[in-house]
Amino acid sequence: MKRSLILAVLLVPTVGAVVASKNLSRGAHANDAVSDFRREREPTTIVQIPRGMNGEFSVHAKINGIAAPMVVDTGATSIVLTYETAKAAGFPLELLDYNVDVQTAGGRTKAARLWLDRIVIGKLVERSVPALVVPRGQMKTNLLGMSFLDRLESFEVRADQLMLHGFQEPPVLHISRRSTVLR
């Protein structure tokens, strides 16, 4: 009886460890499958932007669904929106706190912090992107700064073309009571 009890005490942890290691390897396989799925569903996307006559790279972005022409500015730490663009995108400008010191081409001013729900440039989509907005009349052009560019895989200039390397928006999983749909 004592031998059986000692044998049981020694075998239970061993069996538990074997079962746990099998579950861990299944989990690792599941992780690999999810990673493979993500790589298949999010191919690298390249958006090419030609250099304009004035030497700048201008993009046609959509901010929260609203068209917003922008100039790429790697010297800007953030996306900076004009008052007019931010208003068109539906931000409550009168409720924002203009407490961030910024230096613009027109001089020093204060800006307010906000978050863009979604910004789209070509097939590149980024969500929850920090940005700034300046008071009315302080800037004439929206700036696409590093708060967007840092999210990309990379960006480079080749022969008067700015190449933005990023990922397509991942598919959205829609779950209802009747079915699960990947869109």
Side-chain angles (χ1 to χ4, degrees):
M1 174 80 174
K2 283 184 178 180
R3 284 187 179 171
S4 299
L5 185 59
I6 292 172
L7 189 59
V9 168
L10 292 175
L11 285 177
V12 167
T14 305
V15 169
V18 169
V19 169
S21 73
K22 286 184 179 178
N23 285 338
L24 286 175
S25 79
R26 283 185 193 143
H29 291 304
N31 272 345
D32 291 343
V34 169
S35 294
D36 290 343
F37 174 75
R38 288 197 63 155
R39 279 192 289 274
E40 289 173 17
R41 297 298 298 168
E42 297 179 27
T44 299
T45 299
I46 301 172
V47 174
Q48 294 183 14
I49 303 161
R51 186 185 307 267
M53 297 298 286
N54 58 3
E56 297 176 336
F57 293 102
S58 297
V59 298
H60 298 286
K62 282 197 172 186
I63 295 174
N64 299 348
I66 302 300
M70 305 184 90
V71 172
V72 177
D73 186 348
T74 58
T77 57
S78 181
I79 290 173
V80 184
L81 301 180
T82 64
Y83 182 91
E84 294 75 16
T85 298
K87 184 174 177 111
F91 291 102
L93 301 179
E94 58 282 348
L95 300 177
L96 297 178
D97 189 11
Y98 292 82
N99 62 357
V100 179
D101 291 317
V102 293
Q103 178 69 42
T104 69
R108 292 183 127 337
T109 190
K110 297 278 188 177
R113 287 185 173 90
L114 47 81
W115 289 86
L116 309 179
D117 292 333
R118 184 176 178 188
I119 180 169
V120 179
I121 299 173
K123 290 185 178 181
L124 299 175
V125 178
E126 288 295 329
R127 295 181 182 276
S128 299
V129 181
L132 298 171
V133 59
V134 294
R136 185 188 310 261
Q138 294 295 311
M139 285 179 34
K140 294 179 181 176
T141 306
N142 300 301
L143 301 178
L144 185 68
M146 295 305 293
S147 62
F148 176 83
L149 297 171
D150 277 344
R151 292 173 172 233
L152 301 176
E153 182 181 348
S154 65
F155 59 93
E156 63 182 319
V157 175
R158 278 194 209 161
D160 287 336
Q161 295 280 322
L162 174 62
M163 316 285 269
L164 303 177
H165 300 260
F167 296 96
Q168 290 179 346
E169 184 175 25
V172 177
L173 187 62
H174 295 278
I175 300 174
S176 70
R177 291 183 183 176
R178 295 180 189 189
S179 65
T180 302
V181 179
L182 195 61
R183 293 184 188 167

